[in-house]
Amino acid sequence: MQVKGNQPSLLQHCEHVAATAAPIATADSRDLARNRQEDRHVEVYAPGGALCDGEWGTLIAAIVRVTRSTLIRSAATGMWKRREEAAFYASSVMLPAETFASAIRGHWAVENENHWVRDVTLAEDASRKEAHRLVCRGYTDVVDADLSKYFDTIPHSDLLKSVARRIVDRHVLQLIKLWLKAPVEERDGDGRRRMSGGKSSMRGTPQGGVVSPMLSVIYMNRFLKHWRLTGRGEAFRANVVNYADDFVILSRGYAEEALAWTKAVMTKLGLTINEVKTSLKDARRESFDFLGYSIGPRHLPNGGRRYLGASPSKKSILRVKTKVSELLRPSNKGAWPIVRNRLNRLLAGWSAYFGYGSLASAYEAVDRHVYDRVMCFLCRRHKAQGRSMRQFPRDHVHGELGVLRLRRGRQVSPASALR
C-alpha cells in the first residue's frame, strides 16, 4: 500500500524511520526506453516500536522507501530533463528488497496505464502507436467505444473476486474492501455538498483515489481476457487496443458484430456502453479520436497523395490553447521569467506527450496561439498601443524572451501508410 498525505500520521512515521534508521535491505533497478531513462533505489526498513503500538501495528511488517530518478528527453528541444521523486509503501509481510522493487514497479506500470498519470508513459505511447499501426495494416473498420460512468458502476463483489486472484494477503484485501466502502464528499457545479459511497454502496470506486486506477485496470482485464479466451480476435478479424477503460476495436469487416458482442459482454460485467458516444467508423474515410490523437485519412502537402496518419486531435489542441490563455490572463501579475518558465514547462510537456505522427500543423497552430497570447500579455504589461508587433516580433519572443517554439523546421511523420 502506498502511503500518501491522506494518512498524515503514518506518513510522518515512515519519514521518521527513514531519517533515523538504517535500511535492512536495498535494491537498484533501471528501465531504458527511447527518450526516457528511469532509475529506482529501494530501501526496506523495520516499522519501529512507535508504529507497532498504534492502530497499524498488527498490519504493517515493513516500510519501503522508493527513490525514483527519471531522465526525459523533450521531442521539441532535444534537451534532457531530470525529475526526482520519493514515495513510501507499507507492507504486511517482510520480503526481499528485490521482490518489493518488482512489485512496486508493477504498481507504477498499472498506474501509468490510465489517465490519472499524464506523464509521457510508455504504455500509453505504445497503445496509440499500435492503433495507428493496425489501421495502416488494413484494420480500418473501427468500433470507437465509450463506457458510461465506468468508475461509478464497477460492481464491488466481482471486482474483489478479480483482486483476490492477484492478492492473497487477507489484510490487504480487507483494506481494499474498506476503501471501496469509504464515503466520498463532492461539490456540484453550484457548490452544494453531495455524498456518495458509504457502507451501503455496492458499486463504484472513487475517481481520483490512490488505488482506483489500479482497480479499474484489473476489472477491465475481465473483458480483455474473455475476448482472448473466446477467440473473438480470429472470429471478428479484429484487435482490441486499450488504455485503462479507453478502448477501440479495429476490425476487417466485422465492426458491427464486434460491437454487438461487446455490448452483451459489458452488460454481463455490470457495465454499460454509452450509446451516444460509441460509433462505427471507416478509418479510410473519417478519423476517430483515441488517447488524444486523431487517426484517419490525411493528404501530403500541396495536393499530394493520401495516407492514413495520426496527429493531435482538435480537442487536444484546444485544451492546450485554453491552458496557455489561462496562464497569460490579464490578472497574472507574476514576473516575466516566472511566467515564461511556467509556459515553457506546459509547452514542453504537451510536445513530449504529442511527439508522434504528423505534427507540423498542430505545432504551428499552438505556436501561433502562444505568440498571440504572449504579445498581448507583454503589451498590457508595457502599456504598448494595440498588439505592437514591431516591439515584440516573433523572433524576439522566441529568441531573447525565451519562449519555447514547438515547430523547428519541417516535422515528418515517423509512421504513415501511403495509399
Side-chain angles (χ1 to χ4, degrees), residues 121-134:
T121 60
L122 303 180
E124 185 169 1
D125 189 52
S127 293
R128 62 189 182 218
K129 287 181 180 179
E130 176 67 7
H132 183 207
R133 184 183 67 85
L134 288 169

Side-chain angles (χ1 to χ4, degrees), residues 317-384:
I317 297 173
L318 179 60
R319 191 176 297 116
V320 72
K321 286 182 178 180
T322 302
K323 290 183 179 180
V324 170
S325 299
E326 291 175 352
L327 176 61
L328 299 176
R329 63 188 183 277
S331 59
N332 189 344
K333 305 300 181 182
W336 169 246
I338 297 176
V339 175
R340 178 200 60 206
N341 291 340
R342 289 183 60 191
L343 175 61
N344 284 347
R345 285 196 298 269
L346 170 63
L347 295 174
W350 189 85
S351 63
Y353 181 82
F354 294 101
Y356 170 82
S358 305
L359 304 173
S361 60
Y363 279 11
E364 186 176 351
V366 175
D367 281 340
R368 284 199 304 266
H369 182 79
V370 169
Y371 174 65
D372 183 70
R373 293 296 91 203
V374 168
M375 187 171 58
C376 292
F377 181 84
L378 294 176
C379 286
R380 286 193 302 267
R381 179 155 294 190
H382 293 276
K383 295 181 172 59

Side-chain angles (χ1 to χ4, degrees), residues 102 120 142 211 229 235 246 262 275 367 370:
S102 177
V120 186
V142 181
V211 77
L229 293 179
D246 293 330
T262 300
E275 298 286 352
D367 281 340
V370 169

Side-chain angles (χ1 to χ4, degrees), residues 3-134:
V3 182
K4 290 193 173 183
N6 57 352
Q7 299 160 333
S9 60
L10 180 58
L11 179 59
Q12 184 179 8
H13 179 82
C14 292
E15 293 173 342
H16 176 73
V17 169
T20 58
I24 59 178
T26 62
D28 294 283
S29 60
R30 169 176 289 183
D31 283 343
L32 295 174
R34 187 172 68 89
N35 296 335
R36 185 183 179 98
Q37 173 181 308
E38 183 175 294
D39 294 285
R40 293 176 297 278
H41 179 66
V42 176
E43 298 173 329
V44 182
Y45 298 88
L51 184 64
C52 294
D53 297 334
E55 57 180 331
W56 296 94
T58 59
L59 296 176
I60 297 178
I63 293 174
V64 183
R65 181 172 69 175
V66 184
T67 304
R68 179 164 63 167
S69 176
T70 308
L71 277 173
I72 301 176
R73 182 177 182 272
S74 170
T77 65
M79 302 295 290
W80 288 88
K81 183 177 180 180
R82 181 180 296 275
R83 185 179 65 189
E84 305 279 351
E85 56 184 323
F88 285 94
Y89 288 80
S91 172
S92 59
V93 293
M94 178 63 73
L95 299 170
E98 292 78 8
T99 304
F100 280 126
S102 177
I104 292 171
R105 176 67 185 93
H107 168 250
W108 276 338
V110 169
E111 276 203 336
N112 285 345
E113 291 182 357
N114 59 78
H115 282 291
W116 303 107
V117 181
R118 296 308 300 177
D119 192 9
V120 186
T121 60
L122 303 180
E124 185 169 1
D125 189 52
S127 293
R128 62 189 182 218
K129 287 181 180 179
E130 176 67 7
H132 183 207
R133 184 183 67 85
L134 288 169

